[in-house]
Amino acid sequence: MMLVALSLPDRGGCEAMCEMLTISPQLHVIMLGVEPDEGAQVHALRRGAAGCLSKAIDLEILPRVLRGVRAGEAAVTRAIATRVLEQVRMLDRAELDRLRPVRSSLTQREWEVLDLLVEGTTTGEIAKQLGVSLATVRSHVKHVLGKLHMHSRDEAIRYVERVRHASRT
C-alpha cells in the first residue's frame, strides 16, 4: 500500500502512480490532495488509484481507511462517491457491457482483446482492428488466460459475462 500526493514537484502524482502500478499491479495506491479537486481525483481513480483523500484527513481514522482499502474497499469522499455514481448512471448499455473490475491484473490492451473476444470477434479480426499481428493477439490471449487462471477462451468469455451480469443486478 502506498500514499502518493496528487501533485508532485517534478511530475503529477497520477503519472508516478501509473508507473508504480505497471511495476506492481497488485499495489494499492491512495492519492492525497490538498484541495478537493474532484476532476483530478476521478482521473486518478480511473487510472487505478484505490482511493483519493484529503491531506487533512483525521489521522485517527486513517488506519481504518487503510484496512478497508486492503480489504478491497475504495477510499473516497462522499462527494467523489456521488460523482462516480452520477457517471455510472449516465452510462449507456454498450458502456455497461464493457465494465471491468476495479482491480485487475490485466493490462488495458489485454482487456481490449478480451472485450473483442466477448463480442465474438475472431483472432484475425482482432489483429486487423488493433493493428497488430496474429501472433501478438495470440500472445495477449495467452496472457489473459494465464492471469485469469483459465484454460480456454470460452471459459474467459463466460467469466467476463458473469462478472458483468453480476454488476448489472
Side-chain angles (χ1 to χ4, degrees):
M1 186 162 318
M2 186 169 281
L3 302 174
V4 177
L6 266 168
S7 57
L8 293 174
D10 295 336
R11 61 181 172 181
C14 261
E15 183 182 330
M17 174 194 66
C18 289
E19 289 176 19
M20 288 181 258
L21 290 174
T22 299
I23 295 166
S24 184
Q26 75 285 357
L27 183 66
H28 298 285
V29 179
I30 299 172
M31 304 302 291
L32 297 173
V34 177
E35 301 207 9
D37 181 352
E38 290 180 13
Q41 292 177 13
V42 169
H43 178 72
L45 293 170
R46 284 187 175 162
R47 303 284 307 271
C52 291
L53 300 171
S54 168
K55 286 184 177 181
I57 187 171
D58 182 348
L59 293 179
E60 290 181 16
I61 67 165
L62 189 58
R64 182 176 47 127
V65 171
L66 297 177
R67 282 191 300 274
V69 168
R70 185 160 303 209
E73 298 173 6
V76 296
T77 63
R78 287 184 175 106
I80 292 298
T82 300
R83 183 166 176 183
V84 169
L85 181 59
E86 288 169 354
Q87 290 181 0
V88 168
R89 287 179 176 155
M90 292 187 320
L91 296 175
D92 64 23
R93 175 50 87 198
E95 292 168 314
L96 284 171
D97 288 343
R98 286 189 173 263
L99 284 178
R100 300 171 180 170
V102 173
R103 304 287 302 172
S104 175
S105 60
L106 301 183
T107 65
Q108 179 72 19
R109 180 60 91 174
E110 289 165 349
W111 269 110
E112 290 173 17
V113 170
L114 188 52
D115 286 337
L116 291 168
L117 288 174
V118 169
E119 293 173 9
T121 313
T122 67
T123 302
E125 292 167 338
I126 293 171
K128 187 174 181 179
Q129 190 170 338
L130 298 179
V132 298
S133 71
L134 288 170
T136 299
V137 173
R138 289 185 187 113
S139 177
H140 285 310
V141 171
K142 180 180 174 184
H143 291 131
V144 166
L145 295 177
K147 288 178 179 181
L148 295 178
H149 308 289
M150 302 200 171
H151 304 291
S152 72
R153 293 174 179 219
D154 289 338
E155 191 178 1
I157 290 167
R158 286 191 303 274
Y159 162 76
V160 171
E161 289 171 343
R162 279 193 313 272
V163 167
R164 291 181 176 158
H165 176 75
S167 71
R168 284 185 233 135
T169 56

